[in-house]
Amino acid sequence: MSEKTLTPAYTRRNPDPDPDPASDRGNSAPAPAPAPAPAPARGAPVRAALTGLLGAVPRALTRVAAILALLAVWEAAPRLALVDRTFLPPFSEVALAWWELLADGQLLDDAQASLGRSLAGFALAVVIAVPLGLLIGWYRPLADFLGPLLEVFRNTAALALLPVFVLLLGIGETSKISIVLYACTWPILLNTISAVRTVDPTLLRLAASMDLSPLRLFQKVILPASVPVIFTGIRLAGAVAILVLVAAEMVGAKAGLGFLINNSQFNFAIPQMYAGIVTISVLGVAFNQLLVALERRFTSWRTA
């Protein structure tokens, strides 16, 4: 009888679906089970958080060490009779006067009035100076036309024009916002023009090789590359906004930090005068940190 006849029929119709020949062998060892992942140690997240906190404390102390040293000298010098405490009281007395002004509501009202004027003039300067600076930096004929005029006004101090603003616009809110607008315009405008003109030539050659239109070149290359320098001008303008406003508020104002300082000087309330100065410094630092955070947000695409 042939071999074909002895082969069972079900073997031909139902072949073994398992392609692995070792699966039919009884002596094949089972596959080893995967090793379990090690369990995280107890308290590891807490230890990591404590380590980060302990590492952040020295860094924070380093950043404020100079300020703490200045406050310590300020406190000790009048008490040791190194300076006349009538004209420079200890910092503790200034802090007490600051708290009394805050509790009375006067400090809050004056700070609110100054911030409103500063932010209004600063915002108008950004809205006007950034587009104008981009146009002047991008179009050479416009730069040649406005160049002499810009040179005249950029070298004219804002405080030198304060009497002119008061004569033309009065002693109300309009003159104060206008002087802040004028003072803030020039740092933003000049830095924007410089940013457009100093774009990396390699980027321009690369964009030219891609046959980008002038509008696309400006949108995709010039504007993103100019943002860091533009923000430098904006940060400079932020510092100028508060300083110029304080000087403007000393002329004919009835509220504001400049009015508080000037009025305290006339009434010989020296601790209150220094409290107003400290408030201006704190507001300036806080505003600068806000602008730094915005700069990081808008330049997050840059590599470190």
Side-chain angles (χ1 to χ4, degrees), residues 9-284:
Y10 70 88
T11 305
R12 294 193 304 271
R13 290 193 301 267
N14 301 304
D16 188 0
D18 188 2
D20 187 6
S23 61
D24 295 335
R25 300 171 186 171
N27 57 353
S28 60
R42 293 183 178 180
V46 177
R47 286 196 297 271
L50 289 176
T51 302
L53 180 61
L54 292 177
V57 170
R59 292 193 298 269
L61 291 177
T62 301
R63 293 179 178 179
V64 301
I67 297 178
L68 294 177
L70 174 63
L71 296 180
V73 172
W74 186 354
E75 179 70 24
R79 296 187 181 279
L80 297 176
L82 299 178
V83 294
D84 189 349
R85 65 184 300 162
T86 303
F87 303 106
L88 183 63
F91 176 74
S92 57
E93 296 182 8
V94 175
L96 179 60
W98 184 90
W99 179 255
E100 291 175 351
L101 290 172
L102 181 64
D104 186 57
Q106 181 182 356
L107 183 63
L108 186 61
D109 293 339
D110 289 332
Q112 185 177 358
S114 294
L115 284 177
R117 296 162 182 159
S118 297
L119 292 178
F122 174 78
L124 288 174
V126 172
V127 171
I128 295 173
V130 170
L132 183 60
L134 293 174
L135 289 175
I136 295 175
W138 182 246
Y139 294 106
R140 179 62 65 175
L142 183 60
D144 295 337
F145 175 73
L146 295 178
L149 191 62
L150 296 180
E151 288 297 326
V152 170
F153 282 102
R154 67 177 291 188
N155 292 298
T156 304
L159 295 180
L161 295 177
L162 179 58
V164 178
F165 280 92
V166 172
L167 288 175
L168 296 178
L169 302 175
I171 59 175
E173 299 296 313
T174 305
S175 62
K176 295 174 178 57
I177 295 176
S178 298
I179 193 69
V180 173
L181 167 62
Y182 177 86
C184 293
T185 295
W186 301 110
I188 301 174
L189 180 65
L190 298 177
N191 276 271
T192 304
I193 296 173
S194 176
V196 175
R197 292 180 177 177
T198 57
V199 175
D200 190 354
T202 304
L203 295 177
L204 298 178
R205 288 194 296 267
L206 181 61
S209 66
M210 300 174 64
D211 294 330
L212 294 179
S213 64
L215 181 60
R216 297 288 291 177
L217 175 64
F218 181 82
Q219 179 184 1
K220 297 296 184 180
V221 178
I222 302 297
L223 188 57
S226 304
V227 169
V229 182
I230 293 175
F231 260 99
T232 300
I234 291 176
R235 290 173 58 188
L236 291 174
V240 169
I242 298 178
L243 298 179
V244 171
L245 177 66
V246 169
E249 287 177 341
M250 292 181 177
V251 180
K254 296 182 179 180
L257 294 174
F259 167 77
L260 172 63
I261 295 172
N262 202 36
N263 188 56
S264 299
Q265 179 191 9
F266 285 148
N267 294 323
F268 210 72
I270 304 301
Q272 286 81 356
M273 182 190 73
Y274 282 105
I277 296 173
V278 170
T279 304
I280 292 173
S281 300
V282 172
L283 290 177

